[in-house]
Amino acid sequence: MPALDEKLQDIYTEVLERNPGESEFHQAVREVLDSLGPVVAKHPQYLDAAVIRRLCEPERQIIFRVPWVDDAGNVQINRGFRVEFNSALGPYKGGLRFHPSVYLGIVKFLGFEQIFKNSLTGMPIGGGKGGSDFDPKGRSDAEIMRFCQSFMTELYRHIGEYTDVPAGDIGVGGREIGYLFGQYKRITNRYESGVLTGKGLSWGGSQVRPEATGYGTVFFAEQMLEQRNESFDGKRVVISGSGNVAIYAVEKVHQLGGTVVAVSDSSGHIIDDKGIDLALLKEIKNDRRGRISEYAEAKGGSVQFSEAGSIWQVPCDIALPCATQNELNGADARTLIKNGCTIVAEGANMPCTPDAAHLFTKANLAFAPGKAANAGGVATSALEMQQNASRDSWTFEHTEARLEAIMRNIHHRCLETAEEYGAPGDYVAGANIAGFTQVADAMLALGIV
């Protein structure tokens, strides 16, 4: 990796010293600081007022115990987190992740990314993130309900529609949001719709919210193609993951004329050269909560399932990593470049390692970071907040049009900002700088707080 600007090296060193063992957070901070050299040269006030140092320190970090009773009557103990990172632009906004890998460093990395992602949407929302090391896999609905109720019994005192508005993330879907909201309503005696997003349509949710991150990533990739006077027509696409983001990315790619030939889960990946059968994928992953291998069993024929190797070995024109952080490494990047991939857009949070991102940039491959390309989820959450505030409900078509307009605007801002700061076509620099300057200017306006 290239050396940091000397004005920023001391800040990064301080981050490393103050946050030991939090490698994902270190990586997220470094990725942003790598882009800010030209910014602090042009705007020294950001350094003079310690804006960047303040941005790297969360406004509030909450860690709490979550006791609950499983179906066998045994008491279980998990750990809950909420990092309220920055509220210069609005109330903290960011999802909750329930997964065994969750620890403070993961939550801080996600919250830090969320600051800039939310800024890029142009919506009045700050950045935060939360979750627990609870694993919902294999748990009954009753166990998940009891866990969610215990989690919210502590979290409720820290959130509110004008304070902090959580949503879903990995392991937290409509079922979990329902249990969390029910407990919040029970404790507070308030039907405060705007306190959580990702709600069911019958009780305050928004159309397009389940589809939003996947659709948004594809809308962004469509803009990247338009820059090259191309479209999805005839393009071969590989998408990692098979959760909500991946499923709805598949759906939108197919609607736009592309063919998704591979998807994955933690057990392996499938290759279907005729194009992923979306109805079957939804049935297996959404209805049955099954494994991706069941797709190959159901389809038979030429469909391949592989437990070994990487999904990124499958030749493609466009790659959309939509699973989890650091899933696509340098070796994968070299394979994609060798196989002729021309566009990579991150549908997950930081799914490409620094080595992979550097290789994409060096190869002049169009590479869009998650803080830009997967901002559709939080953008639609903000649209849900608008509807809740006005006691309104929009159609699917209207909400999707709003989402597409937001993603087009983010794409435009990234390219325009990259051009302004001497890095034409660099989506990473454009996203980092555009997201940063809006937050930084708000922080300057609010004083030392």
Side-chain angles (χ1 to χ4, degrees), residues 326-409:
N326 291 326
E327 59 166 295
L328 196 162
N329 60 31
D332 297 325
R334 290 186 189 91
T335 301
L336 284 168
I337 293 165
K338 179 182 175 183
N339 287 338
C341 180
T342 59
I343 286 177
V344 176
E346 294 187 326
N349 293 298
M350 206 170 69
C352 297
T353 66
D355 283 349
H358 178 68
L359 286 166
F360 290 145
T361 302
K362 188 177 177 182
N364 291 319
L365 181 149
F367 171 59
K371 61 173 64 69
N374 84 350
V378 75
T380 307
S381 282
L383 298 180
E384 182 176 329
M385 292 166 68
Q386 284 187 18
Q387 293 170 80
N388 292 158
S390 61
R391 298 292 192 270
D392 201 357
S393 181
W394 303 339
T395 65
F396 190 99
E397 293 73 20
H398 175 76
T399 311
E400 184 180 10
R402 290 286 305 271
L403 168 62
E404 185 173 7
I406 290 168
M407 298 310 296
R408 283 178 175 271
N409 184 58

Side-chain angles (χ1 to χ4, degrees), residues 103-246:
Y103 78 109
L104 185 59
I106 289 277
V107 178
K108 285 168 69 174
F109 129 61
L110 292 167
F112 186 76
E113 284 278 292
Q114 201 77 44
I115 298 169
F116 308 103
K117 182 189 302 185
N118 293 1
S119 171
L120 284 169
T121 68
M123 313 292 272
I125 44 178
K129 206 75 177 185
S132 173
D133 56 3
F134 171 74
D135 188 357
K137 281 184 181 174
R139 294 294 181 182
S140 69
D141 286 353
E143 288 176 318
I144 290 170
M145 180 183 72
R146 290 193 292 272
F147 172 81
C148 288
Q149 289 174 339
S150 181
F151 185 87
M152 183 55 79
T153 298
E154 174 59 33
L155 185 66
Y156 89 94
R157 69 189 80 243
H158 305 291
I159 64 176
E161 62 180 314
Y162 300 112
T163 306
D164 184 353
V165 183
D169 193 78
I170 293 172
V172 179
R175 172 183 57 178
E176 290 77 16
I177 292 294
Y179 295 147
L180 291 165
F181 183 74
Q183 185 72 351
Y184 182 87
K185 184 172 74 72
R186 181 186 187 189
I187 292 170
T188 63
N189 194 32
R190 294 196 303 270
Y191 204 106
E192 191 179 331
S193 294
V195 72
L196 287 168
T197 57
K199 300 183 295 295
L201 287 176
S202 62
W203 46 281
S206 173
Q207 298 274 8
V208 191
R209 183 59 191 90
E211 298 88 349
T213 308
Y215 277 21
T217 300
V218 177
F219 285 143
F220 196 98
E222 183 183 29
Q223 292 298 298
M224 298 169 79
L225 285 163
E226 282 189 15
Q227 283 295 117
R228 300 171 168 230
N229 296 314
E230 298 177 27
S231 72
F232 270 103
D233 281 342
K235 292 292 190 296
R236 184 178 165 99
V237 184
V238 167
I239 299 176
S240 66
S242 51
N244 255 14
V245 180

Side-chain angles (χ1 to χ4, degrees), residues 251-329:
E251 182 168 279
K252 185 52 67 175
V253 167
H254 286 176
Q255 289 175 8
L256 295 176
T259 302
V260 178
V261 296
V263 293
S264 64
D265 64 14
S266 57
S267 68
H269 64 273
I270 54 166
I271 305 170
D272 189 344
D273 285 316
K274 294 179 181 178
I276 295 297
D277 182 333
L278 186 61
L280 177 60
L281 182 64
K282 285 182 177 180
E283 179 193 338
I284 290 168
K285 301 305 289 188
N286 290 346
D287 300 343
R288 294 192 232 159
R289 299 183 185 271
R291 309 305 287 159
I292 202 70
S293 57
E294 296 173 34
Y295 180 100
E297 293 167 6
K299 291 286 281 189
S302 61
V303 176
Q304 304 171 48
F305 168 70
S306 176
E307 294 179 280
S310 168
I311 191 174
W312 307 118
Q313 294 171 341
V314 181
C316 63
D317 302 303
I318 298 167
L320 305 179
C322 294
T324 191
Q325 67 271 5
N326 291 326
E327 59 166 295
L328 196 162
N329 60 31

